Amino acid sequence: MDTLLTIVQKINFYLSDYVLVFLLIGTGLYFTIKTNFVQIRCLGEGFKAVFGKFTLKGDKQESGMSSFQALATAIAAQVGTGNIIGASGAILIGGPGAIFWMWIIAFFGMATIYAEAVLAQETRLVEKDGAIHGGPVFYIKKAFPNKFGNFLAVFFAIAAILALGFMGSMVQSNSIGASFQTATGIQPWIVGLVVAAVSSFIFIGGVQRLASVAEKIVPIMAFLYICGSLLVLAIRAEYLGETIGMIFKYAFFPNAIIGGGFGYALKTAISQGAKRGLFSNEAGMGSTPHAHAMANVNKPHDQGVVAMVGVFIDTFVVLTMTGLVVISTLYAGNGILSGGAADGVDKTNMAQLAFSMVFGDNIGNLFVAVCLAFFAFSTILSWHFFGKVNATYLFGKAGAKVYAIIAIVFIFLGSCLSNDLVWELADMFNQLMVLPNALALITLSSLVIASTKSAKSKKDK
């Protein structure tokens, strides 16, 4: 296991430090320019579409999902352990400046996810019975209608099943189990059993039950976490200036807090921001297009602008709350991590330590455990659906049933196993998904640009 961990860590090192940074920022920058900064021009349109007729009980869809249900399903996937444990780990390893690089990844990622949602809508298939099939495998094959395209589609589908349905779900259930053990003393395997059982019930209900659960749980969990975070920040208000200053200072001079040479420290801060930013907002990874393909909208652009709202909420709201809370309590004001990493502090307990600084151990640990349970459970549901789409693509409906059984087993096992190797494997397959997805996005960029121009011309009229 140690040998495997070392190998996977080495692969992730090269992927995150040399491939992902350039690929994610490059793809996002490309679509930012080609769409004339769609994430700035059309973000207001996206918020209006999402919150203009906000409700926790959307209209029942005969097939697919409403636009808000698709967004809720996407956000359920995006807002998971990456927003709490992932963000904490990025700060611990890359310093407070890692948050700044997550913002950069997210800003360009909004243009990327716009392209993903538009292409998911453009290439989805609607059967005679109304069933909808869509996602990256469909636009990958459109981009490359040959053997190379078939290879890329299969490669993506396998990576998605492993990253989301199996390894990713293990990460989520592991985080739930660990946080509840810290807060309540309940054994992780008991928590894992409950999570697996409830997940099974929702899996059986199919996409309609998932959409119904997502549109209710996502707004509630986000509101709960944001309120708790704002309370901590209000109490630590005197350190907010220092907190924000540390984010910008250590974004460019991280060696002052994480040690090592300047070049190494800067690369660490940027790579942590890129890797954890991807795991958090998933822009460019190819996961959320599975949800956006299901949305019933008038034109692809409509779901593209809605998709951008998901990245904004995930990174600029929820993840930023974690960063500000952690830095203002553990780093600012000569906190226990003001000089760098400390014994007994790791990414799994960092957020609980931060909230406990204000709420006390019992309430702080329990608050994070409850929020993490909401976040991680909703992510499990969405990631299972995304993996199922790819399992169906590869093996048909019969294969999808086998996939569901294996996924439930992985959810339970994840709560019992050490999470170092699981996190690294999830990172590796997440990053491998980016490669064929980004290649297809660039190849089909003309479709994205045409959709943007068409919407702009109608708006001008």
Side-chain angles (χ1 to χ4, degrees):
M1 295 292 285
D2 289 340
T3 302
L4 179 59
L5 177 61
T6 301
I7 294 172
V8 175
Q9 285 176 331
K10 181 63 68 174
I11 294 173
N12 284 340
F13 169 76
Y14 285 106
L15 284 173
S16 61
D17 284 27
Y18 297 103
V19 178
L20 270 190
V21 171
F22 297 103
L23 189 58
L24 287 176
I25 295 181
T27 302
L29 182 60
Y30 176 80
F31 281 109
T32 295
I33 295 171
K34 286 293 185 180
T35 60
N36 194 20
F37 287 83
V38 67
Q39 67 268 57
I40 296 176
R41 291 189 301 104
C42 299
L43 184 59
E45 180 184 346
F47 272 100
K48 185 177 180 180
V50 173
F51 297 106
K53 297 180 180 179
F54 176 75
T55 176
L56 292 180
K57 186 177 181 181
D59 296 331
K60 186 176 182 180
Q61 307 290 306
E62 293 184 6
S63 63
M65 305 178 184
S66 68
S67 180
F68 178 75
Q69 287 175 334
L71 175 66
T73 303
I75 293 178
Q78 292 165 315
V79 180
T81 56
N83 293 78
I84 298 180
I85 293 180
S88 298
I91 296 170
L92 186 65
I93 298 172
I99 296 295
F100 173 84
W101 296 110
M102 286 183 179
W103 290 341
I104 297 298
I105 289 291
F107 176 76
F108 292 116
M110 289 168 69
T112 303
I113 209 164
Y114 171 86
E116 289 181 299
V118 166
L119 291 179
Q121 283 282 318
E122 291 277 9
T123 59
R124 72 179 190 166
L125 300 177
V126 182
E127 297 182 356
K128 292 181 179 179
D129 62 357
I132 299 173
H133 305 282
V137 290
F138 293 90
Y139 58 71
I140 288 172
K141 290 196 69 175
K142 183 176 180 64
F144 307 100
N146 47 36
K147 290 184 179 179
F148 181 60
N150 287 331
F151 166 76
L152 288 180
V154 170
F155 179 88
F156 177 90
I158 292 173
I161 291 170
L162 294 173
L164 307 178
F166 298 160
M167 303 302 170
S169 293
M170 289 183 75
V171 167
Q172 306 298 329
S173 63
N174 185 281
S175 299
I176 296 173
S179 61
F180 265 98
Q181 184 178 34
T182 300
T184 66
I186 299 176
Q187 290 299 309
W189 71 267
I190 297 176
V191 176
L193 201 59
V194 173
V195 172
V198 178
S199 298
S200 301
F201 171 74
I202 298 174
F203 294 167
I204 293 171
V207 67
Q208 298 298 329
R209 184 174 294 172
L210 167 63
S212 178
V213 171
E215 71 178 348
K216 295 175 178 62
I217 196 173
V218 166
I220 293 173
M221 72 181 191
F223 178 77
L224 175 66
Y225 187 69
I226 291 170
C227 286
S229 299
L230 288 175
L231 180 57
V232 171
L233 295 178
I235 295 173
R236 300 284 294 181
E238 63 181 301
Y239 299 106
L240 277 183
E242 181 182 354
T243 296
I244 295 172
M246 293 176 83
I247 291 175
F248 286 96
K249 174 185 176 181
Y250 294 125
F252 300 98
F253 302 99
N255 56 310
I257 195 167
I258 65 177
F262 173 75
Y264 167 79
L266 183 60
K267 185 176 69 174
T268 300
I270 295 175
S271 66
Q272 283 298 312
K275 182 164 63 174
R276 291 304 166 205
L278 170 67
F279 192 83
S280 175
N281 66 55
E282 303 183 25
M285 193 169 81
S287 55
T288 58
H290 297 97
H292 295 303
M294 303 294 291
N296 295 315
V297 292
N298 294 326
K299 54 186 183 296
H301 170 82
D302 294 342
Q303 194 59 27
V305 297
V306 166
M308 294 191 303
V309 175
V311 173
F312 184 92
I313 292 173
D314 171 85
T315 301
F316 291 103
V317 179
V318 180
L319 184 144
T320 297
M321 285 291 150
T322 299
L324 293 177
V325 167
V326 167
I327 297 169
S328 67
T329 55
L330 302 183
Y331 287 84
N334 294 320
I336 60 175
L337 297 178
S338 58
D343 292 337
V345 180
D346 57 42
K347 64 186 178 186
T348 59
N349 67 4
M350 204 167 166
Q352 288 179 313
L353 285 173
F355 279 95
S356 295
M357 292 284 290
V358 173
F359 294 158
D361 289 344
N362 293 334
I363 296 177
N365 288 339
L366 186 60
F367 176 79
V368 174
V370 170
C371 289
L372 193 59
F374 270 111
F375 288 3
F377 178 66
S378 66
T379 299
I380 287 173
L381 299 182
S382 293
W383 279 1
H384 172 81
F385 168 63
F386 301 162
K388 182 181 177 181
V389 171
N390 290 281
T392 303
Y393 172 79
L394 291 177
F395 309 113
K397 293 182 179 179
K401 293 179 181 178
V402 176
Y403 157 80
I405 294 172
I406 297 174
I408 291 169
V409 173
F410 269 76
I411 290 170
F412 172 71
L413 290 177
S415 65
C416 310
L417 301 178
S418 174
N419 71 354
D420 284 342
L421 178 58
V422 175
W423 268 95
E424 292 293 339
L425 285 170
D427 278 342
M428 184 180 75
F429 289 114
N430 282 335
Q431 293 171 122
L432 289 175
M433 286 170 62
V434 175
L435 304 179
N437 184 62
L439 190 59
L441 291 176
I442 297 296
T443 303
L444 295 176
S445 60
S446 60
L447 283 177
V448 179
I449 297 165
S451 179
T452 309
K453 289 182 177 179
S454 175
K456 187 176 185 300
S457 62
K458 290 180 181 179
K459 186 177 181 180
D460 292 339
K461 290 179 182 180

